[in-house]
Amino acid sequence: MKRQLMTLFFGATTFFISSYGNAKIAHDTKNELRAPAYSLVTIDPYTSGWSFNDHLYDGTIKHWTGKDFPLIGVIKVDGQSYRFMGEENVELLTLVNTSEQGSWSGKYTTNQPAKGWQKMSFNNAVWKEGKAAFGTMENESTAKTQWGSKYIWVRRTIDIKNSLKGRKVYLEYSHDDDVIIYINGIKVVDTGNACKKHELTRLPDNVVATLKPGKNLIAAYCYNRVGNGLLDFGLALEKENQRSFNTTAKQLSAEVQPMQTIYKFACGPVNLDLTFTAPLFMDNLDLMTRPVNYISYTVSSNDKKNHNVELYLEAGPQWAIDQAGQASTSESFEKGNLVYLKSGSNTQKVLDKKGDDVRIDWGYFYMAADKGNTQYATGNSTELRKSFGKSKLAASKTNGTDHLAIVRQLGNVQNAAGHFLIGYDDIYSIQYFGKNLRPYWNRNGNKTITSQFEEAEQEYNALMDKCVAFDNKMMKEATEAGGKKYAELCALAYRQAICAHKLVEAPNKDLLFFSKENFSNGSIGTVDVTYPSAPLFLLYNPELAKGLLNHIFYYSESGKWNKPFAAHDVGTYPLANGQTYGGDMPVEECGNMLILTAAIAAVEGNAEYAKKHWDVLTIWTDYLLKNGLDPENQLCTDDFAGHFAHNANLSIKAILGIASYGYLANLQGDKATADKYMDAAKKMATEWNKMAHDGDHYKLTFDKSGTWSQKYNIVWDKLMKWNIFPKEIVQTEIPYYLRKQNKYGLPLDNRETYTKTDWIMWTATLAPDRATFEKFIDPIHLFMNETTTRVPMSDWIFTDTPNQKGFQARSVVGGYFIKMLENKLNK
């Protein structure tokens, strides 16, 4: 069998390259935090490229979902090529089949085996024999042997025909949930709590060396935590002599600043600095939504001699398709001083797909460069790479899988600088109650993607300086608010939070700033995702905070949503045609909408926005008055924990939602209404104190003593200076939380060791001083620095192991900025 180890290319994109100078100013401080994943291209939920590795050349560039987005960078110095970014797609041959590639059987047991079960010498005579895959046959179509219990141990004897010396071998496996896999007794995979299919892990050379001709052993353990179970594995062998760029540069450093990710390399006799920039200035929405990012480079001789230097950049068609195998077309053209390379799917079904693990397959991806000293071609990827080695870029066309490549010939130089531009033209971005909406930058339909790149090119020098200045200012303010480690976490959060949204303009000219629930169900415009992410947007532009709420107000005010509480969402991304989530969160979403409307008023100093929506805000407030103090069995924002009643933290949200309404009434001069609702909130808070108090802490639920939870919602009482709740509540909770912390953070509550990092930030903001605040922040910083789950920052993590529980690349990390928001509100 033959397969392709391909990078999946992503969506209707426009990608350009040109070359000019870099910023004149430098960053004041270095971010020392090793990122779980490094943000490279951050435009929106579809055009989102990341490095999941410590070194930029250690793996393919990926979409946040983990699908490959091939982007390869190579520098040639005096004829020697050094790959500094990405990996080449190569063909894999099946060495040992998985169950989907052919039948295999193994010995298995569901009882704890004796020590040494993973070694070849172990006697497994009493184990059962079964056909792979092992799993819950009613739900897993590949399962041939029923496994529905918690644990399984499997031993598979394999026969290797020939020597594998010097070969690249991969373990391919599917699992649900935790899996540990050994080859000839050596551990090669330990996933922790995870569930994935068709994973590929390259085996270290020392493991390959144990795979001798004859009998060998693959042994695996899998833990089915809940629901479905699955275990399958095999080996793949990389076809020889496929790679053109085997020599890599030596990466010297990597760091993430708010708007930039910076790499430094040694490439033989020259050094290369590479900077990825997304000019996400929230005070300029046309600039923020301009679908253009930059890759800047600086080349400098490290031996004070001139060297002949060329830069090669290649992208695959997967940037414009959802799934491997979708056919695409490519072409090139010149306009002005740029040359463009274009790729897009053949079908071009605009806004035809929705979902979570889905990529765009409409619109067009482009690469471009200044015409001067540039070669470009589209076609077979292997031919492109080999022709670059011969200094004459060319390739034959393929049947729908053309790659795009550009070469910048820098000449015989000691120093050179320039940049690439990367962008995306999705044509239409969102469907809003049946109407297709263009991206905000082209909301009137009178702009072109090439005009956006022309503007980006013209503004490059000024924007580079402006981005560095913003980074310096933000890092300074974040450090002053919460310390260096807090600032470093905020740097990672900035672009991630923004690019998990898409900004469009509603037919009535309202801003609609739609979030996508990345890897948490794909919902669009979810209120309880808006709530944690809002501090970032309240801090930098309250108009965007309004954009997070406008669609929910419209949904109720139009009569399309007729329940007496706020909706959870308005659809599944990118189709915002009405709620698709299966369960309501009545108290949760009403409280969220009221609190954030009050926060907008606090930032703006008036209640004009609330006044526009007063009728529906009144309905939601009265719902909370009736149902908020002791919530019935229902979901809250932490819906992964399931339904439960008498939720003390949810009650806090309801009470502060009512206080928000009173606060807004007061800003409008209605003192009678303000007093009524503020008094009601304070009376409810008094009752809350009686119901929740449990000695040295406060309960998770009112009816269960000996339980506890983070009361992060009470942070708004502190930020807004309402004094609804007695101060002794926070004074009691903070010391208790510190006693409950694990190595990687404070658990969400007493039920599990997992946590939500955004909520820890809110809990930390309740601390009486910065030193105490930092005691909560340090474990999160440690987790991000040490996690073995290499994905864009997860907000749902374990506190006792360096593993992700779920979720990634979500907008909720905007909640990290709540400490900075506190400083703004206290000025």
Side-chain angles (χ1 to χ4, degrees):
M1 293 179 67
K2 295 183 178 180
R3 287 164 290 140
Q4 290 288 323
L5 178 59
M6 293 290 291
T7 54
L8 287 179
F9 207 52
F10 183 68
T13 310
T14 312
F15 179 171
F16 291 68
I17 305 175
S18 350
S19 66
Y20 286 88
N22 293 354
K24 298 182 181 67
I25 58 177
H27 286 98
D28 292 337
T29 59
K30 180 177 174 60
N31 188 341
E32 304 287 349
L33 177 58
R34 185 225 65 178
Y38 290 84
S39 49
L40 306 180
V41 180
T42 46
I43 292 176
D44 62 22
Y46 284 142
T47 307
S48 177
W50 300 74
S51 171
F52 285 28
N53 304 97
D54 286 338
H55 301 111
L56 188 57
Y57 45 72
D58 278 349
T60 55
I61 306 309
K62 295 180 180 291
H63 185 248
W64 64 261
T65 57
K67 295 296 192 297
D68 291 343
F69 266 19
L71 191 61
I72 296 174
V74 181
I75 184 170
K76 186 162 62 174
V77 183
D78 299 331
Q80 173 64 53
S81 293
Y82 302 88
R83 176 168 46 84
F84 59 82
M85 177 169 62
E87 274 193 330
E88 298 172 72
N89 55 303
V90 295
E91 186 177 330
L92 294 183
L93 306 175
T94 297
L95 178 64
V96 176
N97 60 273
T98 67
S99 69
E100 294 182 69
Q101 298 154 359
S103 178
W104 70 268
S105 296
K107 291 290 194 110
Y108 74 97
T109 181
T110 55
N111 299 316
Q112 174 75 52
K115 186 177 180 181
W117 66 272
Q118 75 275 30
K119 296 180 179 180
M120 179 66 82
S121 58
F122 182 82
N123 185 350
N124 60 11
V126 298
W127 288 27
K128 298 177 183 177
E129 184 164 341
K131 288 187 175 182
F134 302 85
T136 46
M137 296 176 68
E138 65 272 22
N139 296 314
E140 293 290 352
S141 61
T142 61
K144 300 295 189 298
T145 296
Q146 174 64 22
W147 165 49
S149 56
K150 270 196 171 185
Y151 307 102
I152 193 169
W153 290 261
V154 175
R155 288 168 53 89
R156 179 184 185 184
T157 301
I158 61 173
D159 190 24
I160 301 296
K161 302 295 185 185
N162 302 303
S163 172
L164 298 174
K165 184 177 180 180
R167 301 295 297 275
K168 294 180 174 65
V169 181
Y170 297 80
L171 175 70
E172 182 173 357
Y173 57 100
S174 298
H175 64 103
D176 186 354
D177 297 293
D178 315 31
V179 70
I180 301 174
I181 302 178
Y182 301 83
I183 292 181
N184 290 333
I186 302 173
K187 185 193 292 188
V188 293
V189 165
D190 187 348
T191 65
N193 188 351
C195 169
K196 294 183 179 180
K197 293 184 177 181
H198 309 123
E199 285 292 289
L200 281 168
T201 295
R202 182 180 165 187
L203 300 183
D205 292 341
N206 68 306
V207 176
V208 175
T210 71
L211 290 168
K212 306 291 186 183
K215 300 299 182 184
N216 294 265
L217 178 71
I218 306 177
Y221 150 83
C222 197
Y223 169 28
N224 178 22
R225 291 176 178 268
V226 64
N228 296 343
L230 179 66
L231 179 60
D232 188 18
F233 47 82
L235 296 177
L237 183 65
E238 185 176 311
K239 190 176 178 180
E240 291 184 288
N241 302 317
Q242 294 185 92
R243 297 182 186 269
S244 299
F245 308 129
N246 288 305
T247 302
T248 65
K250 180 181 179 181
Q251 185 173 304
L252 304 176
S253 65
E255 68 167 307
V256 178
Q257 295 282 342
M259 290 195 186
Q260 297 188 318
T261 299
I262 305 160
Y263 289 92
K264 294 182 182 294
F265 303 94
C267 312
V270 305
N271 290 341
L272 170 66
D273 292 354
L274 200 69
T275 301
F276 297 83
T277 304
L280 297 174
F281 292 96
M282 285 184 272
D283 59 350
N284 183 339
L285 299 184
D286 285 302
L287 175 58
M288 186 193 84
T289 59
R290 180 190 291 164
V292 181
N293 280 193
Y294 300 91
I295 305 176
S296 303
Y297 59 85
T298 300
V299 176
S300 58
S301 171
N302 57 39
D303 62 4
K304 300 183 180 179
K305 296 179 181 179
N306 282 20
H307 297 280
N308 190 42
V309 179
E310 297 178 67
L311 280 173
Y312 172 92
L313 189 67
E314 176 198 318
Q318 294 92 336
W319 284 83
I321 57 177
D322 176 32
Q323 296 292 334
Q326 285 184 263
S328 62
T329 58
S330 67
E331 62 178 286
S332 60
F333 61 93
E334 296 182 8
K335 184 176 182 181
N337 67 333
L338 295 175
V339 58
Y340 299 82
L341 285 73
K342 175 181 178 182
S343 180
S345 70
N346 286 350
T347 55
Q348 291 298 309
K349 295 181 179 179
V350 177
L351 292 168
D352 189 56
K353 290 184 176 180
K354 64 179 180 178
D356 194 352
D357 190 1
V358 172
R359 287 139 299 279
I360 197 170
D361 59 3
W362 64 88
Y364 296 91
F365 169 91
Y366 298 79
M367 277 174 49
D370 188 280
K371 289 186 294 187
N373 300 316
T374 297
Q375 295 182 5
Y376 59 94
T378 67
N380 179 277
S381 59
T382 301
E383 293 178 20
L384 287 170
R385 296 162 195 166
K386 291 186 182 300
S387 69
F388 172 61
K390 299 175 182 178
S391 298
K392 182 61 178 177
L393 197 64
S396 60
K397 301 294 284 184
T398 66
N399 185 23
T401 59
D402 285 356
H403 282 231
L404 319 177
I406 294 180
V407 175
R408 293 288 297 143
Q409 298 168 315
L410 306 184
N412 192 36
V413 296
Q414 281 194 35
N415 300 284
H419 62 272
F420 310 100
L421 291 81
I422 293 184
Y424 185 95
D425 183 9
D426 56 2
I427 305 173
Y428 287 95
S429 304
I430 301 292
Q431 187 174 96
Y432 185 59
F433 294 103
K435 182 175 178 59
N436 290 352
L437 302 181
R438 296 182 184 273
Y440 184 82
W441 64 268
N442 194 27
R443 56 198 176 278
N444 298 317
N446 59 355
K447 294 184 178 180
T448 64
I449 190 64
T450 54
S451 72
Q452 294 300 289
F453 279 92
E454 289 164 2
E455 290 177 16
E457 180 69 16
Q458 293 164 6
E459 298 173 14
Y460 171 74
N461 289 319
L463 281 177
M464 289 303 105
D465 287 340
K466 191 175 179 182
C467 286
V468 174
F470 175 89
D471 288 353
N472 287 339
K473 185 173 186 290
M474 198 202 96
M475 293 298 281
K476 180 175 182 291
E477 292 174 349
T479 302
E480 290 172 350
K484 185 176 188 296
K485 291 180 179 179
Y486 170 70
E488 290 179 342
L489 289 164
C490 287
L492 267 63
Y494 186 82
R495 277 174 283 163
Q496 175 174 317
I498 297 171
C499 81
H501 295 84
K502 190 72 179 184
L503 185 68
V504 294
E505 187 178 80
N508 68 355
K509 304 302 181 183
D510 277 349
L511 289 180
L512 301 172
F513 195 36
F514 283 118
S515 64
K516 178 179 181 180
E517 277 206 56
N518 291 346
F519 271 8
S520 55
N521 72 13
S523 290
I524 185 170
T526 303
V527 180
D528 57 285
V529 168
T530 289
Y531 178 67
S533 69
L536 173 62
F537 308 107
L538 290 165
L539 181 65
Y540 286 107
N541 187 349
E543 292 303 318
L544 288 174
K546 296 174 188 176
L548 294 169
L549 308 184
N550 284 333
H551 57 282
I552 297 296
F553 280 123
Y554 171 77
Y555 197 15
S556 283
E557 291 165 349
S558 66
K560 299 177 188 297
W561 177 262
N562 55 20
K563 297 181 182 181
F565 47 81
H568 170 271
D569 63 78
V570 288
T572 301
Y573 196 93
L575 307 183
N577 295 321
Q579 180 171 309
T580 53
Y581 186 70
D584 295 329
M585 298 185 187
V587 173
E588 173 72 35
E589 310 304 16
C590 288
N592 292 337
M593 292 295 293
L594 283 154
I595 290 170
L596 293 182
T597 304
I600 289 168
V603 170
E604 293 191 321
N606 64 74
E608 291 305 307
Y609 181 67
K611 188 176 181 180
K612 289 172 54 179
H613 305 292
W614 198 245
D615 288 348
V616 73
L617 288 170
T618 302
I619 292 170
W620 293 341
T621 305
D622 289 341
Y623 182 89
L624 293 181
L625 271 175
K626 183 178 180 181
N627 301 285
L629 176 59
D630 189 5
E632 296 177 348
N633 189 40
Q634 61 189 277
L635 292 171
C636 69
T637 184
D638 304 316
D639 56 352
F640 48 81
H643 291 74
F644 61 104
H646 318 299
N647 184 337
N649 189 47
L650 184 60
S651 176
I652 291 173
K653 181 174 289 184
I655 294 166
L656 292 180
I658 294 164
S660 297
Y661 185 82
Y663 170 79
L664 292 166
N666 187 60
L667 285 179
Q668 296 177 75
D670 185 350
K671 190 173 185 306
T673 299
D675 289 346
K676 173 185 173 182
Y677 285 91
M678 279 295 188
D679 288 347
K682 289 178 180 178
K683 289 177 182 177
M684 292 170 75
T686 300
E687 285 301 307
W688 185 97
N689 193 22
K690 295 175 184 176
M691 296 160 64
H693 191 259
D694 197 23
D696 62 351
H697 69 282
Y698 290 80
K699 302 171 190 174
L700 165 67
T701 60
F702 296 131
D703 61 328
K704 293 182 180 178
S705 294
T707 63
W708 66 272
S709 65
Q710 292 187 47
K711 309 302 189 300
Y712 53 82
N713 285 320
I714 207 170
V715 72
W716 293 104
D717 198 27
K718 181 182 180 184
L719 265 60
M720 303 293 281
K721 303 184 184 67
W722 288 332
N723 297 315
I724 300 297
F725 286 88
K727 294 188 184 305
E728 58 263 25
I729 294 174
V730 171
Q731 292 168 355
T732 299
E733 288 284 89
I734 291 297
Y736 185 81
Y737 295 155
L738 290 174
R739 296 195 295 273
K740 293 295 181 179
Q741 282 208 122
N742 290 325
K743 181 177 180 179
Y744 297 113
L746 175 66
L748 186 64
D749 56 50
N750 62 273
R751 293 172 295 175
E752 298 280 354
T753 61
Y754 60 60
T755 194
K756 292 282 272 81
T757 59
D758 46 343
W759 298 146
I760 291 179
M761 291 286 186
W762 291 33
T763 294
T765 302
L766 294 168
D769 51 58
R770 186 168 128 179
T772 306
F773 174 84
E774 291 186 50
K775 289 179 181 178
F776 290 101
I777 302 306
D778 288 355
I780 303 175
H781 188 277
L782 182 66
F783 176 91
M784 298 304 173
N785 198 61
E786 294 185 353
T787 180
T788 56
T789 313
R790 304 304 298 274
V791 296
M793 272 203 305
S794 171
D795 54 287
W796 188 19
I797 66 171
F798 288 99
T799 61
D800 53 350
T801 65
N803 301 117
Q804 167 198 30
K805 169 61 177 170
F807 306 160
Q808 62 199 51
R810 298 210 310 163
S811 64
V812 301
V813 295
Y816 287 16
F817 291 81
I818 196 160
K819 186 65 177 175
M820 295 176 69
L821 178 63
E822 179 188 32
N823 284 8
K824 178 174 182 174
L825 292 174
N826 286 340
K827 284 184 178 178

